[in-house]
Amino acid sequence: MDFKVKNHSLNFVSKQSNELSCLSFYEKIPINDIDLETLEFYAVDRLKVLWEIERLQTAKKDYETAQQLSFVIDRYLPLSNKSTTEQRDKDLISHFLLRCCFCHNEEDRIWFIKNETKLFESRYYSLSPQDKRKFISENFPHKPINFQLLDPMIKNSLLMTDRLESKFYKIPFTEAGELIGSKKAYLNQGFAYFSEKVIGKIFRTQFNQKIAIGLQKASNIFDKFDERIQKMIEKLRSKNNTFFQFGNQDGTHIEFDELKNKIKSFPLCMKLIYEKLIQDHHLKHQGRIQLGLFLKGIGLSVHDSIRFWKQEFLKKMTEKDFEKDYIYGIKYNYGLEGKRVNWSPYSCPKIIGLKPAPDDFSGCPFKFLSTHNFKQILLNLEQKPNEEQINELISLKEGGHCQVACQRYWDLVHPGLDEPLNKLSGIEHPNSYFKYSEEYYEIQKEKEKEKEK
Amino acid sequence: MIEFNQNLKKPRTEEEIQKENQDKTQNLKIYYDYFFPFQQIFEWLSYGNLDFFHFREFSFLSSNIIRRFVSFENVTEFQRYVSMNIPQKIDYGAIYNYPPNKRNEITEFQPKKKELIFDIDITDYDDCRTCCSGTNICNKCWIFLVVAIKTLEYILRNQFAFRNILWVFSGRRGVHCWVCDKTVLDSSDSLRKNIVNFIFFENDEKKPLTPNQLEIYNEILEPYFKKVIETQELFEKPENWQKVLKFVKEEEIQKKIEKDFEQLPDSKSRYEYLQTMDYSKILPQIIFGVIYPRLDINVSKTMNHLLKSPFCIHPSTQQVCVPIDPQKCEDFDLKLVPQLNNLVDEFNEKGINSIPQSKFLNYYIKKLFIQDFLDKLK
Ligand code: SF4
Ligand SMILES: [Zn+2]
């Protein structure tokens, strides 16, 4: 047994570990006394990070993804060489707990390895230069080569990749892994030559392999755990499965009854489809999928989703017809029928690319609405925009910058922020629009409370 | 221009077809019994270890049925099987952790070793060929495959330091490459993927050339490009040079070059024009686009892919899949590739004595397969 569970609070053993680099390949299991709730709290935080990584992979721009990612990591799993022992332990312990959660089948293993590797990589690249050197010296057994002694052709080739002052290394290509695949090393007679700045790729490959091997052994670790921890891990597993089922990433659920209050956070595309549905008690196929997946993404369960569609559709058809024609499609969206793929909610680029039929409100309104109708919508807003704002939005829309327009629209309908919540240039996903909006209303609520005090 | 497309022949009657198939089978039997180098193939595939042979997947095509996961304990079994079934095609797969024909006896049946293979097909160059298209091939378009062979040879030998490489004509319109070095045999799928990604060139790469790519450019691609232009007459007329200039990424520059090309008198001056300072950055884009080897990378990335055996007879061209000397691949003449009919006709005429002096035995088997390849494996 490796973590001892105590009923009182934390009690740490491994103090001297702070001398070592904070990043690790997770080869040693920490020995600590720790209480069960803390364990669970650690694991859930890590799960949140991994899910966020998964979600961001669908986003397009690398730079923004990196920024958002380090934001999430700092929030839930901060780690640097200055980190406290507690932070370091949180990282190690949560990793080993999740290994036990994800070791049971191939699909889980692949998912875990993929996202853990991303996490590792992101952390590696945000190390300070000194910390990076430290990590390299601890984990990379090769000495830099003497540049001056190299063959002139190799010298020239290396100087195309980095400055003369850098350290260069030479290893057999078979050990260079992704450095080869990504063409970051110079290959000559079976050896890979490269500068220190790309060593990260080797670590990435190593990390990947080590975690894969670790996962194969993880079920043994699991068996040795004390029963309470085993139970907790089982609970985590099912929690992770519900993330899957609800299709959303941060694990929030939305109850059917809450839905009405959430409409104000819908992006314009979803709001229009929703209004169309309320008006016609019916929706065409494309709109059903677009809205249906979005609702799944914000955390509506299959069960509630069926209730939601029924509530409108039954105003125009019999229950029997509904069951016959529509239940399948709803379950399909949740991966419970047909191909059994847990379809992700459509991203903005996907929605913008849709071709809505006339009078079908699917697609992105910043693309398909006529300028006249668009202006009408703006004028009817509760948060009256001024002339300048209207013109800006219209010109963005006419320029085809749907996502940027959508972003400005968000700013418009969420006034009163000291600093706009989301500084990115353009909305990436209707579900992130929703998320930012929810966060906004949270903050507003807190402000209200403050005022009352 | 010789065309090897069988469909161009006049339609045949049912009877004729039957007769022809019978003849083919008979010829094939003679070929397998007297020409096919079983012993040498065995020596190659076993790499000095009988288990390697025994655990190797064989696959056979006969009467339109493919049988996969066949395996043999020794060369006699292999030979007997082929002689009895007279397959139209023989393929080799990976070496597994268990004899493939008994794979149901264990739960984790997995490939363990495999040569690194490449498959290059002339049809992948259709957008740049000016002489033929589709399954047709002639000595003029062979130049694309020459460049592919030279380039891969350079990468595999000079950059990766591989030594045991076998090139084989695929029997119709392409070439196969078997890399048999020990480091490769043992490499995991992930290392394989990395090797292949290293070699593969993405055409929309906006990145500057890597030092290794630059090397290939200077050593192989640029010198050969002139030959390709000449042979394929790529700079002779607008519809030809459009095939080349489409690789210029900036549309405006492409338009400008097209215009200027029309003003220039001949192919040579057009090429020189591209070499001027203004376009020295554009030329690599074009050259990589047109002649860098176009690989079917999925064949190379995983171990379980099959590849046709050297010395097979191509089912529709009747040509022998003979080894190619990479040093002399420019001189490889499609018209001179041994054909099943010719081999067997001569055999029928002169009997078994026809073989000892034949080019088939002395050049393709003894020189290219044994001396240049097999002996070096040991
Ligand atoms: S930009 Fe995205 S979220 Fe905004 S309306 Fe268009 S599709 Fe919906
Ligand atoms: Zn041709």
Side-chain angles (χ1 to χ4, degrees):
Chain A
M1 191 14 250
D2 298 287
F3 315 117
K4 284 178 250 150
V5 182
K6 275 200 173 177
N7 289 331
H8 54 81
S9 64
L10 310 171
N11 178 7
F12 296 106
V13 184
S14 48
K15 283 270 178 342
Q16 75 281 38
S17 72
N18 281 8
E19 310 283 303
L20 284 173
S21 179
C22 59
L23 256 195
S24 83
F25 288 112
Y26 301 108
E27 288 173 301
K28 291 202 193 80
I29 306 178
I31 305 173
N32 290 324
D33 287 354
I34 211 165
D35 68 83
L36 201 55
E37 270 135 58
T38 314
L39 282 183
E40 182 169 353
F41 159 73
Y42 282 180
V44 168
D45 272 1
R46 193 178 197 89
L47 215 43
K48 284 182 185 156
V49 172
L50 296 184
W51 270 104
E52 186 67 9
I53 293 175
E54 169 77 16
R55 194 179 69 77
L56 287 173
Q57 265 156 36
T58 48
K60 283 245 169 82
K61 295 166 202 122
D62 284 348
Y63 169 69
E64 286 171 8
T65 304
Q67 245 189 354
Q68 231 164 315
L69 191 55
S70 53
F71 175 76
V72 177
I73 296 175
D74 283 347
R75 180 156 158 203
Y76 292 109
L77 281 176
L79 190 67
S80 77
N81 283 354
K82 289 187 209 77
S83 287
T84 60
T85 318
E86 185 187 345
Q87 285 170 331
R88 287 168 182 248
D89 282 350
K90 178 177 182 183
D91 179 55
L92 291 172
I93 293 171
S94 62
H95 172 86
F96 280 100
L97 284 171
L98 290 195
R99 265 196 197 179
C100 297
C101 277
F102 283 94
C103 68
H104 297 270
N105 63 58
E106 187 66 10
E107 203 181 322
D108 284 357
R109 284 193 291 261
I110 290 174
W111 189 91
F112 182 70
I113 295 171
K114 183 181 80 182
N115 292 311
E116 278 282 336
T117 307
K118 266 260 143 63
L119 171 61
F120 172 83
E121 211 183 3
S122 162
R123 281 171 163 174
Y124 176 83
Y125 286 111
S126 40
L127 287 179
S128 72
Q130 294 103 300
D131 288 355
K132 216 179 260 174
R133 291 231 158 154
K134 188 170 176 183
F135 183 76
I136 293 173
S137 70
E138 282 169 22
N139 294 287
F140 189 66
H142 303 271
K143 285 212 181 73
I145 42 174
N146 185 335
F147 189 77
Q148 294 315 323
L149 297 182
L150 290 175
D151 179 279
M153 185 166 98
I154 299 177
K155 267 191 205 166
N156 284 340
S157 298
L158 282 179
L159 288 180
M160 285 170 67
T161 66
D162 207 351
R163 291 168 309 139
L164 181 61
E165 304 81 59
S166 345
K167 291 184 177 149
F168 292 99
Y169 296 88
K170 170 188 179 183
I171 61 175
F173 86 84
T174 45
E175 289 167 30
E178 286 176 42
L179 269 188
I180 302 290
S182 58
K183 304 178 188 174
K184 292 283 192 298
Y186 170 69
L187 260 194
N188 191 294
Q189 288 305 334
F191 285 94
Y193 297 78
F194 51 92
S195 98
E196 60 186 330
K197 79 173 177 206
V198 295
I199 286 187
K201 291 269 179 202
I202 296 194
F203 293 139
R204 189 195 138 94
T205 313
Q206 273 178 19
F207 184 84
N208 205 299
Q209 287 163 354
K210 286 191 171 147
I211 301 302
I213 295 170
L215 271 179
Q216 281 169 358
K217 298 187 197 136
S219 53
N220 301 340
I221 305 180
F222 178 81
D223 292 340
K224 282 186 218 135
F225 277 142
D226 144 332
E227 209 176 295
R228 283 174 295 168
I229 303 189
Q230 285 189 355
K231 276 220 185 87
M232 185 207 81
I233 289 177
E234 285 304 328
K235 197 168 116 198
L236 275 174
R237 282 190 68 196
S238 63
K239 184 154 192 164
N240 189 54
N241 287 338
T242 26
F243 283 170
F244 261 124
Q245 232 203 43
F246 287 93
N248 69 340
Q249 292 81 17
D250 37 23
T252 49
H253 300 177
I254 286 184
E255 299 292 328
F256 179 76
D257 299 326
E258 288 174 284
L259 196 59
K260 278 191 295 307
N261 299 327
K262 304 282 179 187
I263 309 289
K264 62 182 186 306
S265 292
F266 280 21
L268 191 55
C269 53
M270 301 302 167
K271 203 177 273 170
L272 290 181
I273 300 181
Y274 177 78
E275 281 166 5
K276 179 84 180 157
L277 171 69
I278 302 296
Q279 182 192 325
D280 294 359
H281 314 302
H282 190 82
L283 259 190
K284 291 200 184 132
H285 181 68
Q286 193 160 286
R288 285 201 312 270
I289 300 186
Q290 184 179 332
L291 180 59
L293 288 174
F294 169 77
L295 292 175
K296 178 176 90 162
I298 65 173
L300 199 66
S301 70
V302 171
H303 178 74
D304 285 346
S305 184
I306 294 175
R307 254 176 91 188
F308 167 81
W309 293 104
K310 253 191 191 170
Q311 167 182 290
E312 286 309 317
F313 276 50
L314 289 195
K315 291 180 184 157
K316 252 171 106 177
M317 62 169 54
T318 66
E319 177 133 15
K320 215 169 133 222
D321 284 342
F322 178 81
E323 305 251 325
K324 186 162 92 334
D325 295 336
Y326 296 102
I327 294 272
Y328 180 88
I330 299 170
K331 287 192 172 169
Y332 187 89
N333 277 348
Y334 281 76
L336 301 172
E337 291 285 359
K339 280 193 180 165
R340 296 191 179 261
V341 173
N342 191 41
W343 305 101
S344 327
Y346 288 173
S347 66
C348 295
K350 167 98 187 179
I351 294 174
I352 292 166
L354 291 177
K355 297 209 171 52
D359 202 30
D360 164 9
F361 278 63
S362 66
C364 173
F366 294 100
K367 176 149 180 233
F368 73 76
L369 278 181
S370 68
T371 305
H372 174 79
N373 287 347
F374 181 56
K375 197 166 175 181
Q376 240 20 70
I377 289 180
L378 293 179
L379 291 175
N380 288 334
L381 281 176
E382 205 179 294
Q383 306 83 354
K384 288 263 176 293
N386 58 35
E387 187 93 13
E388 193 187 333
Q389 286 168 320
I390 292 183
N391 288 340
E392 189 196 8
L393 271 162
I394 287 182
S395 83
L396 279 169
K397 176 195 169 337
E398 288 182 337
H401 309 292
C402 305
Q403 290 164 274
V404 184
C406 186
Q407 156 83 66
R408 293 294 143 75
Y409 177 84
W410 191 99
D411 290 338
L412 187 67
V413 295
H414 300 86
L417 282 183
D418 312 334
E419 192 186 338
L421 240 194
N422 146 39
K423 301 182 209 76
L424 309 178
S425 55
I427 296 288
E428 283 288 344
H429 204 292
N431 288 77
S432 23
Y433 181 107
F434 179 81
K435 202 173 125 198
Y436 300 137
S437 178
E438 286 290 286
E439 282 171 14
Y440 167 87
Y441 288 114
E442 278 296 306
I443 292 176
Q444 297 305 102
K445 230 196 258 162
E446 266 164 36
K447 276 192 191 159
E448 291 291 305
K449 266 195 217 145
E450 288 288 310
K451 263 192 225 152
E452 276 165 23
K453 271 184 199 167
Chain B
M1 192 192 306
I2 295 212
E3 284 174 341
F4 292 96
N5 196 331
Q6 294 285 302
N7 305 332
L8 296 179
K9 288 183 181 164
K10 68 175 191 322
R12 295 157 296 173
T13 66
E14 194 67 24
E15 253 167 62
E16 272 172 332
I17 292 175
Q18 233 177 33
K19 167 97 179 31
E20 210 184 280
N21 282 343
Q22 262 175 16
D23 286 355
K24 264 192 201 168
T25 317
Q26 253 172 22
N27 286 355
L28 255 183
K29 176 145 172 64
I30 294 177
Y31 177 77
Y32 284 132
D33 286 348
Y34 296 96
F35 291 87
F36 192 84
F38 286 98
Q39 180 59 31
Q40 287 74 22
I41 294 278
F42 165 77
E43 278 171 34
W44 164 37
L45 294 181
S46 53
Y47 296 94
N49 182 339
L50 191 60
D51 275 353
F52 286 9
F53 186 79
H54 188 187
F55 289 15
R56 167 83 68 169
E57 177 188 358
F58 289 73
S59 157
F60 297 97
L61 169 73
S62 25
S63 346
N64 290 326
I65 294 167
I66 296 179
R67 284 194 60 195
R68 287 198 60 175
F69 299 110
V70 183
S71 60
F72 305 104
E73 280 188 30
N74 50 49
V75 66
T76 328
E77 268 191 12
F78 174 33
Q79 189 160 5
R80 196 181 306 137
Y81 180 97
V82 172
S83 177
M84 271 173 53
N85 292 286
I86 318 179
Q88 281 131 13
K89 195 155 94 76
I90 305 174
D91 280 87
Y92 305 134
I95 300 171
Y96 285 80
N97 56 343
Y98 207 69
N101 59 355
K102 298 189 196 141
R103 67 191 181 289
N104 296 330
E105 290 173 10
I106 57 168
T107 43
E108 300 256 314
F109 179 66
Q110 279 169 345
K112 288 288 168 200
K113 289 172 193 290
K114 176 67 189 289
E115 293 81 6
L116 176 63
I117 52 181
F118 296 99
D119 182 2
I120 307 164
D121 200 311
I122 194 70
T123 47
D124 288 328
Y125 293 82
D126 273 358
D127 62 313
C128 290
R129 288 201 281 169
T130 57
C131 49
C132 327
S133 64
T135 53
N136 293 337
I137 182 170
C138 70
N139 283 336
K140 278 192 183 169
C141 36
W142 181 255
I143 185 77
F144 286 110
L145 296 177
V146 169
V147 180
I149 293 175
K150 296 280 180 191
T151 311
L152 277 178
E153 274 277 307
Y154 187 89
I155 297 174
L156 296 171
R157 288 188 194 273
N158 295 344
Q159 297 179 349
F160 283 97
F162 296 141
R163 292 290 169 259
N164 305 108
I165 303 171
L166 177 70
W167 287 95
V168 183
F169 175 51
S170 72
R172 185 188 214 160
R173 52 178 188 194
V175 291
H176 295 162
C177 173
W178 299 79
V179 186
C180 309
D181 287 61
K182 193 173 176 312
T183 39
V184 171
L185 282 183
D186 291 336
S187 70
S188 62
D189 273 347
S190 104
L191 181 55
R192 246 163 247 274
K193 220 193 272 161
N194 282 320
I195 296 177
V196 175
N197 285 343
F198 176 85
I199 298 176
F200 187 68
F201 181 81
E202 289 153 73
N203 229 330
D204 49 332
E205 255 174 324
K206 287 205 186 65
K207 306 159 207 152
L209 295 181
T210 66
N212 282 116
Q213 287 167 340
L214 203 65
E215 216 171 272
I216 297 161
Y217 181 76
N218 292 331
E219 297 290 327
I220 312 279
L221 298 177
E222 225 240 63
Y224 271 98
F225 189 56
K226 290 193 202 92
K227 278 194 193 159
V228 176
I229 294 176
E230 268 167 41
T231 323
Q232 286 282 317
E233 297 166 10
L234 283 172
F235 283 176
E236 298 290 350
K237 44 186 174 181
E239 72 254 41
N240 285 5
W241 68 60
Q242 266 152 21
K243 292 177 190 251
V244 174
L245 297 182
K246 68 165 182 283
F247 289 103
V248 178
K249 277 160 204 153
E250 299 82 356
E251 210 175 307
E252 273 169 37
I253 303 185
Q254 183 189 330
K255 291 241 166 70
K256 172 152 187 341
I257 300 179
E258 270 177 37
K259 250 198 218 138
D260 293 347
F261 259 33
E262 304 210 6
Q263 308 304 319
L264 292 162
D266 55 15
S267 178
K268 187 161 166 283
S269 53
R270 292 187 186 112
Y271 186 66
E272 281 162 7
Y273 163 85
L274 281 185
Q275 285 178 307
T276 55
M277 266 311 280
D278 285 0
Y279 297 114
S280 59
K281 286 220 179 67
I282 306 282
L283 197 53
Q285 283 177 15
I286 297 179
I287 295 186
F288 270 92
V290 179
I291 57 174
Y292 191 85
R294 302 184 181 183
L295 304 169
D296 180 350
I297 44 175
N298 292 324
V299 174
S300 316
K301 273 188 180 172
T302 53
M303 287 198 236
N304 50 17
H305 256 277
L306 299 169
L307 195 64
K308 195 157 52 175
S309 167
F311 297 105
C312 259
I313 304 291
H314 191 284
S316 43
T317 63
Q318 298 292 299
Q319 289 180 310
V320 186
C321 303
V322 286
I324 298 169
D325 182 351
Q327 306 280 318
K328 299 196 184 121
C329 58
E330 282 138 301
D331 307 329
F332 188 86
D333 189 340
L334 288 159
K335 286 170 282 186
L336 300 181
V337 175
Q339 278 211 302
L340 178 62
N341 299 348
N342 302 346
L343 289 177
V344 174
D345 284 352
E346 212 180 314
F347 177 82
N348 287 337
E349 215 174 277
K350 298 189 194 158
I352 200 157
N353 293 333
S354 71
I355 300 175
Q357 295 98 39
S358 67
K359 185 177 180 192
F360 179 79
L361 180 73
N362 290 310
Y363 181 64
Y364 292 111
I365 293 186
K366 283 197 177 154
K367 166 85 175 60
L368 294 188
F369 193 70
I370 299 180
Q371 202 178 313
D372 289 358
F373 173 66
L374 199 53
D375 286 350
K376 290 182 180 148
L377 264 186
K378 289 170 187 164

